Amino acid sequence: MELSDAWDRVQHFVKHYGPLVLIGMLGLGVSVGIAWFIEEQGRRQKQSEAQLSFRREVETAGTVLQRTIDRHTDQLYALRDFYRSVPQVSRERFATFVRRIVSANPALQAMAWEKRVSEAERPAYRRRMRAAGFSGFRITGVDGRPLPPDHRSTYFPVTYIEPVEGNEVAFGYDSSDRPSERRAIRAAI
């Protein structure tokens, strides 16, 4: 077969079947393009749904967290108002008031009241606490050891705590022994 015969056959094929081949290839290309477009739209839709679902979960978690913080803040304000309304808060009144708050809030281990005690008042305060039935009472620091006299001019020892059970180690703890808490106390008073 000569080169010219082969060339004639190619021209004949292209002339008669070329449009069909071209249409088939064009159809295949369009089909692949449409399939890709549909797949891409599906992927984007799933991604958009996942993002929307994530946003909703974050918003729900944020709302729950904010409500919990608000509830705890309200309870602290109630405790403050309780102290403002009662001239002398006894250990029993404190326990009665905070018991329900603590039991209703699994996030709270305990609630405590810290009395402001000057260095000059410290010996009398310790005697009163011991006379109230706490024979080994001492003002302690972060490490649980008793703070020496003249350690600082003012102390804030845990005087009431509810529940007492399981929180005995905190009884007498001077929260101002920790620098970050001391700064917070100074800012508050």
Side-chain angles (χ1 to χ4, degrees):
M1 184 192 265
E2 291 183 26
L3 188 58
S4 67
D5 284 338
W7 181 247
D8 287 341
R9 284 185 176 191
V10 168
Q11 284 180 334
H12 177 72
F13 180 81
V14 169
K15 184 177 182 182
H16 287 40
Y17 300 107
L20 291 175
V21 170
L22 186 61
I23 290 172
M25 289 177 69
L26 185 61
L28 180 63
V30 168
S31 296
V32 167
I34 290 173
W36 174 83
F37 179 77
I38 290 171
E39 177 66 26
E40 183 65 19
Q41 290 302 313
R43 186 187 65 75
R44 286 183 182 173
Q45 179 68 27
K46 286 179 184 175
Q47 185 179 19
S48 178
E49 289 171 2
Q51 287 174 339
L52 182 60
S53 175
F54 178 74
R55 259 191 235 117
R56 285 183 182 150
E57 287 181 29
V58 167
E59 287 173 5
T60 299
T63 299
V64 168
L65 179 61
Q66 186 60 54
R67 286 181 181 163
T68 301
I69 290 170
D70 291 346
R71 188 176 72 242
H72 290 169
T73 302
D74 288 345
Q75 291 164 345
L76 290 173
Y77 282 133
L79 184 58
R80 179 201 63 192
D81 294 345
F82 172 68
Y83 268 91
R84 287 180 175 172
S85 67
V86 177
Q88 181 64 32
V89 176
S90 68
R91 183 174 311 282
E92 294 75 25
R93 282 185 177 172
F94 176 82
T96 300
F97 187 82
V98 301
R99 191 173 291 128
R100 188 184 65 76
I101 294 172
V102 173
S103 66
N105 290 287
L108 293 177
Q109 178 178 338
M111 288 186 84
W113 177 67
E114 301 165 355
K115 180 173 178 56
R116 184 180 191 168
V117 178
S118 70
E119 178 59 42
E121 298 168 323
R122 185 176 168 170
Y125 170 75
R126 194 171 98 178
R127 281 192 302 276
R128 279 194 308 276
M129 294 302 291
R130 288 182 175 189
F134 305 102
S135 60
F137 182 82
R138 296 179 182 167
I139 296 177
T140 60
V142 173
D143 59 4
R145 295 184 181 149
L147 294 177
D150 297 322
H151 185 69
R152 72 175 58 86
S153 62
T154 306
Y155 303 86
F156 291 87
V158 171
T159 303
Y160 302 156
I161 190 162
E162 185 63 34
V164 175
E165 300 78 28
N167 296 298
E168 295 88 354
V169 71
F171 192 59
Y173 165 69
D174 176 19
S175 63
S176 67
D177 194 44
R178 183 169 289 165
S180 61
E181 292 180 31
R182 189 167 40 249
R183 285 190 298 274
I185 290 169
R186 283 184 189 145
I189 53 176

